[in-house]
Amino acid sequence: MPLFRRPSRRRTGPGGRSPCRRRAGTAAALVAALAAALPGVASCAVDPAGPPVDAAAAAPAGTGDPTATPTGTPTGAPPTPAAPARVPDSLRFTGTTLDGKPFAAADLAGRPVVLWFWAPWCATCASQAWTVAEIAPQYRDRVPIVGVAGLGQRTAMRDFVTEFELGGTLQLDDAAGKLWRRFEVVEQSTFLIIDRDGKVIHQGFLDGEDLTRRVAALATQAG
C-alpha cells in the first residue's frame, strides 16, 4: 500500500512574506536611512592612491632636461689665447731709449717695423725728422717707426729730438754704434724696413713723400 508524504509548507510571516525577504528589506532601509542622515560620509572617503600629483611641480629642483645648461653658466671651454708671434732674427736685439728706458725689438714681432738710422749733425736727417714726427704717432700701433741715433753725443741727440718734436716716438741711444754695425748701416740717413715676417724689404734713403707712401701701404697690409 503506497505511502503518501504530506507536502511541506513554506513558513511565512505576517502578510504572507518570507522572513528572509523581510530581513533583507529591513537592512536596505537601514542603509538608506544612514546615508540620508550622514550625507557627507561618501565624500569623506579617502582614495588609497592619494590625490593626483602634478609631476612638474613635484619634480625636485635641478631635474629636467639633462642637457640643459644652468642659467649664468658659460658653455664650452674658455677661448684659447692667441699664440705669440714668432720673433724673427731681424728683431732679436735690445737697446736703451734716449730717455733711459729698456727696449726689446721682440715686442714688435708680427708687425712691420721701420728703423731710422740718423745722426744729430746730419742735415738730411733734420729734413726727414719733420715727416717722421708727423707720421710715426699716426701709425704707431700698426707700423712702429724706431729711431736709432748714432755718430754723436747723447746731449746732441736729445737736443735733436726736442728740436724736431720727436718726443712721441721711440728713439734708441746707439752712440756706441752696435745696431749700426749689426745692420751694416754705413751712412745716414738710412731707413731699414722689416715686413711682418721679419724680412728686410728696403734699406737706404727715402724722402718724406716716399716714406709716407711706404708706411701707409704697410699699415694697410697689417690691417
Side-chain angles (χ1 to χ4, degrees), residues 94-136:
T94 59
T96 304
T97 65
L98 283 173
D99 54 2
K101 297 179 180 179
F103 170 80
D107 294 340
L108 306 179
R111 290 178 285 175
V113 177
V114 177
L115 301 180
W116 175 40
F117 293 84
W118 58 271
W121 45 263
C122 168
T124 303
C125 302
S127 66
Q128 294 170 325
W130 295 116
T131 301
V132 173
E134 179 182 354
I135 68 174

Side-chain angles (χ1 to χ4, degrees), residues 27-93:
L30 288 174
V31 171
L34 181 60
L38 302 173
V41 172
S43 62
C44 293
V46 178
D47 184 354
V53 179
D54 185 348
T63 61
D65 183 359
T67 63
T69 302
T71 302
T73 302
T75 59
T80 304
R86 181 187 67 84
V87 180
D89 291 341
S90 57
L91 294 179
R92 293 182 181 277
F93 67 88

Side-chain angles (χ1 to χ4, degrees), residues 131-158:
T131 301
V132 173
E134 179 182 354
I135 68 174
Q138 181 180 353
Y139 296 105
R140 179 183 292 115
D141 296 332
R142 291 175 290 172
V143 186
I145 299 178
V146 181
V148 185
L151 305 178
Q153 299 298 318
R154 290 185 179 86
T155 301
M157 295 174 183
R158 294 189 183 101

